[in-house]
Amino acid sequence: MVNKIFITDKEIDGRASAVLYVYFIAYLCYLFFFRIYNDIDIALIFKPIIVPSIAFAYFFITKSTKLYLNLGLFLVIFLADNLILLEERDLKVFSTYLYLIAISILFNYVLTDSKLFNRNQFLQNNFKYFIIAYLVLVILYKVASMTLNIEFKEFFVVIGYVIMFLMVFILSIYNALRFKSIASRFLLLTILCLFFSDVFITLNKYYSKKDLFIYISCIIEIPTYYFLLKYLLHREK
């Protein structure tokens, strides 16, 4: 499964293979200590290893010269994943902003892949600026709430994330069915892993306390970033 995504250079293959093995091991250890053993302190040792491993694998494998946005995507996800584990509420809110930025980047990618704006040159060239404008408005709203003592409604951040997540999900299905590209299938797998992992965590937390739900969510969650890596690599072909 792993070897199929590597290019032929043996030195690069070896480095990418190594960091991918580190990714899977680190993710397994993190999920065991966080979800099953409930030891956040030990889980925090392994959590910071997960996304950088995928980022390094991407860096070793990609042939693209325009890799900064993808590396930026990994950086945003890394910060969000680690901040959300901390107990301070403000940091958790900030992590939500970061996830919004990450899903916005994916939304821009999947919309470009869908070619829905091909007949409208203005939207095709400027849609990403609409996304950036929304993110800037949210940040300005947060700054204004802090300086002018205005109540900040986190609803606008959450609803923005949910809408973009659903749009990425719908468009990834559309792309997978219409274009049948390998990249779109891996993005769809990424979104499905995120969705169903959260579903089983929610079922265990709010409806029925069952260890089986935790185990299923862990199994589903592990390949999430691996599928994201595959999506980004195949998208460049």
Side-chain angles (χ1 to χ4, degrees), residues 179-214:
F179 301 108
K180 296 180 174 59
S181 66
I182 298 176
S184 60
R185 293 173 184 173
F186 277 115
L187 180 60
L188 181 57
L189 285 172
T190 302
I191 299 299
L192 288 173
C193 285
L194 289 171
F195 176 76
F196 283 110
S197 175
D198 286 344
V199 165
F200 283 105
I201 291 297
T202 302
L203 288 174
N204 177 72
K205 187 174 182 178
Y206 297 106
Y207 296 98
S208 180
K209 296 281 186 180
K210 292 184 179 180
D211 291 340
L212 179 62
F213 289 155
I214 297 177

Side-chain angles (χ1 to χ4, degrees), residues 5-71:
I5 66 172
F6 295 149
I7 57 179
T8 56
D9 187 286
K10 292 184 178 180
E11 181 182 358
I12 295 180
D13 282 4
R15 290 183 296 178
S17 296
V19 291
L20 281 176
Y21 287 127
V22 169
Y23 163 78
F24 284 110
I25 293 171
Y27 219 142
L28 282 169
C29 293
Y30 158 71
L31 290 173
F32 172 77
F33 287 108
F34 182 65
R35 304 256 190 231
I36 299 174
Y37 198 65
N38 293 319
D39 192 326
I40 297 180
D41 292 333
I42 299 180
L44 282 172
I45 297 174
F46 296 100
K47 184 66 170 178
I49 301 174
I50 296 171
V51 176
S53 298
I54 288 294
F56 276 117
Y58 171 78
F59 180 77
F60 292 144
I61 298 169
T62 183
K63 293 181 178 180
S64 174
T65 57
K66 299 178 180 179
L67 67 160
Y68 297 108
L69 185 57
N70 288 341
L71 292 179

Side-chain angles (χ1 to χ4, degrees), residues 14 29 44 56 77 88 114 128 133 141 160 209:
C29 293
L44 282 172
F56 276 117
I77 294 173
E88 293 187 24
S114 70
K128 59 184 176 183
Y141 176 37
K209 296 281 186 180

Side-chain angles (χ1 to χ4, degrees), residues 79-210:
L79 293 173
D81 277 358
N82 288 277
L83 288 176
I84 204 169
L85 290 179
L86 303 179
E87 297 300 323
E88 293 187 24
R89 183 175 180 277
D90 289 341
L91 291 178
K92 289 185 177 182
V93 173
F94 183 63
S95 70
T96 306
Y97 301 154
L98 295 174
Y99 281 128
L100 178 59
I101 294 172
I103 201 68
S104 297
I105 294 173
L106 289 178
F107 183 41
N108 182 54
Y109 283 174
V110 74
L111 193 60
T112 301
D113 295 342
S114 70
K115 301 178 182 178
L116 292 175
F117 289 162
N118 275 10
R119 295 183 180 180
N120 192 319
Q121 198 66 30
F122 175 79
L123 287 176
Q124 183 179 356
N125 294 334
N126 297 284
F127 185 79
K128 59 184 176 183
Y129 297 113
F130 290 112
I131 297 177
I132 294 172
Y134 172 77
L135 296 174
V136 170
L137 286 174
V138 171
I139 295 173
L140 291 176
Y141 176 37
K142 176 63 177 177
V143 173
S145 67
M146 295 171 63
T147 56
L148 302 176
N149 294 323
I150 302 173
E151 184 181 0
F152 179 74
K153 300 290 186 180
E154 297 170 7
F155 170 80
F156 293 105
V157 180
V158 175
I159 197 65
Y161 175 83
V162 171
I163 290 174
M164 287 194 184
F165 184 91
L166 290 176
M167 290 303 297
V168 171
F169 181 44
I170 293 170
L171 287 173
S172 63
I173 294 175
Y174 171 80
N175 291 344
L177 293 177
R178 179 172 181 177
F179 301 108
K180 296 180 174 59
S181 66
I182 298 176
S184 60
R185 293 173 184 173
F186 277 115
L187 180 60
L188 181 57
L189 285 172
T190 302
I191 299 299
L192 288 173
C193 285
L194 289 171
F195 176 76
F196 283 110
S197 175
D198 286 344
V199 165
F200 283 105
I201 291 297
T202 302
L203 288 174
N204 177 72
K205 187 174 182 178
Y206 297 106
Y207 296 98
S208 180
K209 296 281 186 180
K210 292 184 179 180

